[in-house]
Amino acid sequence: MTVVICRQLAPVMADLAANRELTCAAVGESIDAGAQLVILPELITSGYVFESMDEARSVAITPDHELFADWAALAAKGSAVVIGGFCETGPGGTVYNSAAVVDGSGVLAVYRKLHLWDTEKNFFTPGSAVPPVVETQHGRIGVIICYDLEFPELTRSVALRGADLLAVPTNWPLIYCPEGERAPEVQVGIAAARVNRMSIACCDRVGTERGQEWTGGTTIISESGWVVATADEAGIARADLDLTLARDKVLTPLAHVFGDRRPEFYGALTAKD
Amino acid sequence: MTVVICRQLAPVMADLAANRELTCAAVGESIDAGAQLVILPELITSGYVFESMDEARSVAITPDHELFADWAALAAKGSAVVIGGFCETGPGGTVYNSAAVVDGSGVLAVYRKLHLWDTEKNFFTPGSAVPPVVETQHGRIGVIICYDLEFPELTRSVALRGADLLAVPTNWPLIYCPEGERAPEVQVGIAAARVNRMSIACCDRVGTERGQEWTGGTTIISESGWVVATADEAGIARADLDLTLARDKVLTPLAHVFGDRRPEFYGALTAKD
């Protein structure tokens, strides 16, 4: 079993030093509590609601920043893997909405968000590479960010590439949700887990930032598509998952999650509308 | 607004005459009650749990069977469209798990299930054409059947081809579901509706057939991804839907359901594992 902990934090807007401290404390506590995978929100090092490109650039970092060395040092203590979002320095003053996968040896992979939500397009350059599926000591970890989850072609493609667990750092803006219903993004995650037989861990954020309220919808979903943990009052969601179950896509002797696909009839997917 | 009615019936196993009567009564009642779209379960003319190919063949029909003329005559009374599953006669003694789209003029389209579930593979020949998206007087209606819904590539491709509403005749075998949760197939439908901004109407069946229990999970979902109707005690689910909302894929001035896709990064979808 793998102990997965999501930490639903609230970053300090545009304060890299404060967020370095915040994330290191959360990662350290989680590993002390037994976490083997620690997942943090989208843009947890920077905050989300930028007022200008200059502000975004002021907190943008590269994967060789010492913050990741801190995460790596903490990860090394517990043989853990840490996945968290950050604002990444791009070429020529550009910035990416990125996520890093870090273990005791350092940064294993960086993912740049492919699907930018709404006004993110005013700040970030979209990614230009498929999401990583990283071979770690705790299984094959896929990484996407927030709005990416709403593209079932993407979650399917990550599953087809062998991910056991999909880590999804998010910042879900609070939207309408009828009483008693889960946040719609969570419902999309549940479906993605079920149809791909792949665990999914969405780590959301909390707080209100420059008037923007957040959902606080952190949810860990098993490969069977059932919710196994949501954030407690401290913003911690913890689940013990058998990630190897995702490798068996057999549903019955005559039914297989991938084998039953009929790709020759999904043609419209490759055209853009 | 379009009045959509799903009739969650229990067919009489392998009794075409009885099921002709059953479906005509349900379609007639629904249209009398104002239905403009009437949706019936998968294989409603035949039952599901066949014991032999001979039994399946004994109730297999072609689209020119008088049963569809009956449905068309009823549809004509109310300018309605009827979608229902049937066991279709194929060439050389084969059979298909099919669904027909019928209006007052007759059969508009026939869809042959692409993704056969489990032991269906022992009886049915899989379809070899994409699901129809039928231009009707009540909008563009896409049709898939049951297990097809579990392939998000397929629901996406139907949405990209312009469906306003996806009709899903189903026979959902009863499976484990924790107290208080919706059937997992419904959760997949909710996600498919939301991420595609397309209404989805799943018409399930009830009863126990040769020991197989059914879910009775009939659910109508709006293009926003919210459940708007489930079957009442009489097995009737009714919703008034504005199907034109599905044609507007704009989420914000800077976000678009289809325009935000990055098809060049979904490559693995075209390979079969």
Side-chain angles (χ1 to χ4, degrees):
Chain A
M1 301 293 275
T2 302
V3 180
V4 181
I5 292 184
C6 294
R7 291 296 298 253
Q8 184 173 274
L9 305 171
V12 182
M13 186 66 217
D15 189 336
L16 183 61
N19 294 324
R20 183 178 172 184
E21 210 169 297
L22 176 77
T23 56
C24 286
V27 169
E29 280 168 25
S30 301
I31 292 170
D32 287 346
Q36 293 163 299
L37 295 179
V38 182
I39 306 173
L40 303 174
E42 179 181 10
L43 292 173
I44 190 59
T45 62
S46 63
Y48 182 95
V49 186
F50 292 120
E51 284 176 340
S52 68
M53 275 305 293
D54 279 347
E55 187 182 49
R57 281 182 207 113
S58 77
V59 283
I61 55 178
T62 54
D64 58 6
H65 191 276
E66 55 196 359
L67 176 144
F68 299 112
D70 287 353
W71 291 7
L74 292 163
K77 284 203 310 176
S79 298
V81 175
V82 180
I83 299 113
F86 71 107
C87 183
E88 185 186 2
T89 304
T94 60
V95 292
Y96 294 103
N97 183 336
S98 297
V101 181
V102 176
D103 74 0
S105 71
V107 176
L108 299 177
V110 169
Y111 167 65
R112 294 168 171 172
K113 191 174 183 179
L114 279 171
H115 304 88
L116 296 175
W117 168 248
D118 198 34
T119 55
E120 291 174 27
K121 295 183 173 84
N122 296 334
F123 295 97
F124 299 107
T125 300
S128 56
V130 299
V133 176
V134 188
E135 197 66 75
T136 76
Q137 59 200 305
H138 302 299
R140 297 190 292 244
I141 310 301
V143 184
I144 63 173
I145 300 173
C146 202
Y147 186 43
D148 285 330
L149 184 64
E150 311 264 332
F151 296 83
E153 312 92 322
L154 188 72
T155 46
R156 174 67 104 194
S157 71
V158 173
L160 283 168
R161 290 169 50 230
D164 301 321
L165 177 138
L166 182 61
V168 192
T170 75
N171 279 190
W172 285 331
L174 186 63
I175 58 174
Y176 168 76
C177 186
E179 184 70 26
E181 295 280 2
R182 292 193 178 100
E185 299 91 341
V186 173
Q187 303 202 38
V188 171
I190 287 170
R194 172 176 161 88
V195 302
N196 291 302
R197 243 184 106 72
M198 167 176 72
S199 297
I200 299 186
C202 302
C203 186
D204 197 11
R205 59 161 295 177
V206 285
T208 300
E209 189 179 273
R210 294 179 172 163
Q212 176 63 59
E213 285 184 273
W214 307 100
T215 301
T218 296
T219 306
I220 303 175
I221 306 159
S222 74
E223 87 298 329
S224 298
W226 299 115
V227 170
V228 289
T230 56
D232 63 16
E233 287 189 3
I236 299 171
R238 177 191 171 124
D240 291 17
L241 291 174
D242 181 352
L243 298 185
T244 64
L245 293 176
R247 300 200 181 183
D248 179 7
K249 305 295 187 189
V250 172
L251 297 170
T252 78
L254 285 172
H256 190 280
V257 171
F258 292 162
D260 285 341
R261 297 178 71 240
R262 307 285 309 276
E264 59 274 40
F265 301 105
Y266 309 145
L269 289 183
T270 55
K272 195 167 170 166
D273 197 350
Chain B
M1 301 295 273
T2 302
V3 180
V4 181
I5 292 184
C6 294
R7 292 296 299 254
Q8 182 173 274
L9 305 170
V12 182
M13 187 66 218
D15 188 336
L16 182 62
N19 294 324
R20 182 176 173 187
E21 213 170 294
L22 176 77
T23 57
C24 286
V27 169
E29 280 168 25
S30 300
I31 291 171
D32 287 346
Q36 292 164 299
L37 294 179
V38 183
I39 306 173
L40 304 174
E42 179 181 9
L43 292 175
I44 189 59
T45 63
S46 62
Y48 183 96
V49 187
F50 293 120
E51 284 176 340
S52 69
M53 275 304 294
D54 279 346
E55 187 183 48
R57 283 184 206 111
S58 75
V59 283
I61 56 179
T62 55
D64 58 4
H65 191 276
E66 54 197 0
L67 176 144
F68 298 111
D70 288 353
W71 290 8
L74 293 162
K77 284 203 312 173
S79 299
V81 175
V82 180
I83 299 111
F86 70 107
C87 182
E88 185 186 2
T89 304
T94 61
V95 292
Y96 293 103
N97 183 336
S98 297
V101 181
V102 177
D103 74 0
S105 72
V107 175
L108 299 177
V110 169
Y111 167 64
R112 293 167 172 173
K113 190 174 184 178
L114 279 171
H115 304 88
L116 297 175
W117 168 249
D118 198 34
T119 55
E120 292 175 28
K121 295 183 174 84
N122 295 335
F123 295 98
F124 299 107
T125 301
S128 56
V130 299
V133 176
V134 188
E135 196 67 75
T136 75
Q137 58 200 305
H138 302 299
R140 296 189 295 243
I141 310 302
V143 184
I144 63 172
I145 300 174
C146 201
Y147 186 44
D148 285 331
L149 184 65
E150 311 264 332
F151 296 83
E153 311 93 321
L154 188 73
T155 47
R156 174 66 106 195
S157 71
V158 173
L160 283 168
R161 290 169 50 230
D164 301 320
L165 177 138
L166 182 61
V168 192
T170 75
N171 280 191
W172 285 331
L174 186 63
I175 57 174
Y176 168 76
C177 185
E179 184 71 24
E181 295 281 1
R182 294 194 177 98
E185 299 91 339
V186 173
Q187 303 202 39
V188 171
I190 287 170
R194 171 176 162 88
V195 302
N196 291 300
R197 245 185 106 70
M198 167 176 71
S199 297
I200 299 185
C202 302
C203 186
D204 196 11
R205 60 161 296 177
V206 285
T208 300
E209 192 179 271
R210 293 180 172 163
Q212 176 63 59
E213 285 185 273
W214 307 98
T215 299
T218 295
T219 305
I220 303 176
I221 306 158
S222 75
E223 87 296 331
S224 297
W226 299 115
V227 170
V228 290
T230 56
D232 63 16
E233 286 190 3
I236 299 173
R238 177 190 171 125
D240 291 18
L241 291 176
D242 182 351
L243 298 186
T244 65
L245 293 175
R247 300 200 182 182
D248 180 7
K249 306 295 188 189
V250 172
L251 297 170
T252 78
L254 286 171
H256 190 280
V257 171
F258 291 163
D260 285 341
R261 298 177 69 239
R262 307 285 311 274
E264 58 274 39
F265 301 105
Y266 310 146
L269 289 183
T270 54
K272 195 165 171 168
D273 197 351

